[in-house]
Amino acid sequence: MNRKMNHIHERSLRITYNDYTSTFKELLKMDKSITFHQRNIHTIAIEMFKVKRNLCPSFVSELFVYNEKTDKFILPGVHSENMGKNSWQYFGPIVWNSMIPDNIKECVHIDMFKEKIKSWVPDNCKCKLCIDFIPGVGYGIMKGNVFYPNPF
């Protein structure tokens, strides 16, 4: 579904800018927009901010465990590789702990956090939507001719 939505987004950008040669990334920069997945990461970041600052309902905050000493959310154990790691309960702490820059996490007010998160482009995501799959090898990131296995 993510790929289909991005394809429609790409087609609309090509029509809008009458540009049929640029890459999707170049079109996104031209438009100052982001992919749907990156927008979803923004939404998760905002929700994790609310959890940390106790701005969400208690049933939501009970899904997460925050360690004050390390200033990080604790990753829950997962029962299933596919289902568990794709859950908000698992991916939310990853977004908060390792993806969001510290200067954004330090915001005190939700409005300031939302404003800063809008200008942040999450380019360090290592979920299955963002990494490459090499048949016979698995998921990882290709940089040039070098393959780096998925650290998760």
Side-chain angles (χ1 to χ4, degrees):
M1 185 61 73
N2 184 64
R3 191 173 18 142
K4 288 179 182 180
M5 291 172 67
N6 280 331
H7 183 67
I8 292 169
H9 189 191
E10 179 181 359
R11 286 176 56 198
S12 67
L13 290 174
R14 289 194 186 288
I15 292 167
T16 301
Y17 292 105
N18 196 23
D19 183 345
Y20 298 93
T21 58
S22 297
T23 66
F24 184 40
K25 284 185 180 184
E26 291 168 342
L27 289 168
L28 289 170
K29 279 185 183 178
M30 192 183 311
D31 192 55
K32 296 179 184 158
S33 62
I34 57 177
T35 67
F36 281 96
H37 180 60
Q38 290 169 330
R39 193 168 294 135
N40 289 339
I41 291 173
H42 282 180
T43 302
I44 290 171
I46 291 167
E47 293 306 315
M48 294 308 292
F49 178 88
K50 290 178 184 178
V51 169
K52 184 176 185 242
R53 302 284 182 193
N54 294 317
L55 300 173
C56 63
S58 61
F59 70 89
V60 174
S61 61
E62 290 170 2
L63 295 172
F64 303 97
V65 178
Y66 185 74
N67 185 335
E68 295 284 337
K69 291 179 183 176
T70 61
D71 194 33
K72 293 186 178 209
F73 286 94
I74 297 172
L75 282 177
V78 292
H79 301 295
S80 165
E81 179 74 21
N82 292 330
M83 297 301 285
K85 289 190 176 182
N86 293 331
S87 70
W88 175 34
Q89 192 175 5
Y90 187 85
F91 192 59
I94 290 173
V95 169
W96 185 266
N97 294 343
S98 61
M99 291 177 65
I100 303 172
D102 290 338
N103 67 319
I104 297 176
K105 286 195 275 190
E106 292 168 356
C107 291
V108 177
H109 299 288
I110 186 75
D111 294 332
M112 181 184 275
F113 184 83
K114 285 180 179 180
E115 192 61 36
K116 284 189 175 185
I117 210 77
K118 279 184 198 174
S119 63
W120 171 62
V121 178
D123 60 355
N124 57 342
C125 183
K126 293 176 181 68
C127 73
K128 287 187 178 180
L129 292 174
C130 299
I131 60 175
D132 301 313
F133 179 76
I134 311 266
V137 178
Y139 287 96
I141 299 172
M142 285 297 294
K143 290 187 179 179
N145 293 329
V146 180
F147 179 76
Y148 298 93
N150 184 14
F152 293 111

